[in-house]
Amino acid sequence: MAEPRQRPVGELLRQWRERRRLSQLELAIQAAVSTRHLSFVETGRATPSRDMVLHLADELDVPLRERNHLLLAAGYAPVYPENSLDSPQLARVRAAVRQVLTGHEPYPAVAVDRLWNLVDANASVALFTTGVAAELLAEPMNVLRVSLHPAGMAPRIVNLGEWRAHLLGRLRRQVGLTASPELARLHDELRAYPCDQPEPEVELPGPGDVVVPLRVRHGEQELSFFSTVSTFGTPLDITVSELVIESFFPADAATSAVLHQFVQQNQQNQQARAG
């Protein structure tokens, strides 16, 4: 079987430029290069230097993983390492993630990779995963699949249509930014899940809302959350650049009280088992 043809670096750069909705002139001005030279690079009439490939990739905000692909297409060696989170090189990163997650308790927080697979989580996330089918919690556990699958959190999400539209829109934008076929397949899978609520095309605030809330049933109570997303500010490793920490906060006092009680109960249960 013939190996797939490696596309020229100029063609790949042009695709990234078009994905960012920039004209040749706009990118040339932004990157401080001549439009003529950029045109020659994209059409293959000029071979870009290693530094030029990296410079254009930086201006186009190309993910580190794809910058390595651009370098390979231009005939250069990749420059960005991809270490496993279990490797000694990322021990401090792993410790920092764990510190952030633990420090966020009693509120839920997760760390995920580029495909939304769970990397780490704090103890409070158990409140979300209560009642979720065991097969969805098996590694690699995909947090978006757990959220929207009918055997996952979906039956407990009060505003499923609104939350689903938010997650799918977020994933769709990520596909546009990264051009990841894996994320595109995940989007199509999640979109095919059933939903018995209307899904808004535009996110509009309800009464008193300032962010899209996540409303979850917990026993007889309805809990309300909003979330923040954190990334590493200056990553030079592919794995680190793709790590995302999502932290959930209580949107009201009643939810906060339940979370504190939930964590305390878990701690008491752990102590009882240990004793």
Side-chain angles (χ1 to χ4, degrees), residues 203-264:
E203 293 177 348
L204 295 175
D209 287 342
V210 293
V211 293
V212 177
L214 169 62
R215 299 190 170 100
V216 181
R217 293 187 188 90
H218 179 67
E220 299 299 319
Q221 297 173 291
E222 179 181 313
L223 308 183
S224 183
F225 300 87
F226 65 90
S227 68
T228 62
V229 173
S230 304
T231 58
F232 283 83
T234 53
L236 294 176
D237 177 276
I238 292 174
T239 301
V240 177
S241 73
E242 295 171 345
L243 274 178
V244 173
I245 297 175
E246 183 151 14
S247 306
F248 291 84
F249 293 84
D252 53 48
T255 299
S256 179
V258 169
L259 289 167
H260 280 85
Q261 184 180 6
F262 181 79
V263 169
Q264 289 175 359

Side-chain angles (χ1 to χ4, degrees), residues 119-156:
V119 171
D120 200 355
N122 65 15
S124 302
V125 169
L127 184 143
F128 286 158
T129 57
T130 299
V132 172
E135 58 268 24
L136 292 176
L137 301 179
E139 295 185 2
M141 172 184 153
N142 187 278
V143 299
L144 295 187
R145 187 175 291 119
V146 166
S147 297
L148 300 181
H149 196 283
M153 288 179 59
R156 296 173 52 217

Side-chain angles (χ1 to χ4, degrees), residues 143-204:
V143 299
L144 295 187
R145 187 175 291 119
V146 166
S147 297
L148 300 181
H149 196 283
M153 288 179 59
R156 296 173 52 217
I157 298 179
V158 177
N159 59 331
L160 179 61
E162 181 182 44
W163 187 248
R164 171 186 162 100
H166 166 69
L167 291 184
L168 289 178
R170 183 172 166 184
L171 184 56
R172 190 164 51 249
R173 289 188 291 272
Q174 190 178 358
V175 171
L177 287 172
T178 64
S180 166
E182 297 97 333
L183 287 176
R185 286 193 293 270
L186 177 62
H187 176 271
D188 292 342
E189 175 194 335
L190 300 180
R191 190 176 59 176
Y193 291 165
C195 179
D196 58 1
Q197 295 183 15
E199 300 176 43
E201 294 183 5
V202 179
E203 293 177 348
L204 295 175

Side-chain angles (χ1 to χ4, degrees), residues 13-23 26-27 30 56-63 66-67 173-179:
L13 285 168
R14 176 180 56 78
Q15 289 177 347
W16 279 107
R17 175 178 60 76
E18 292 173 348
R19 192 170 288 120
R20 298 297 184 252
R21 301 183 184 277
L22 291 172
S23 67
E26 289 170 328
L27 177 57
Q30 184 175 311
L56 292 174
D58 188 53
E59 294 297 328
L60 290 168
D61 196 24
V62 177
E66 302 306 321
R67 295 186 195 193
R173 289 188 291 272
Q174 190 178 358
V175 171
L177 287 172
T178 64

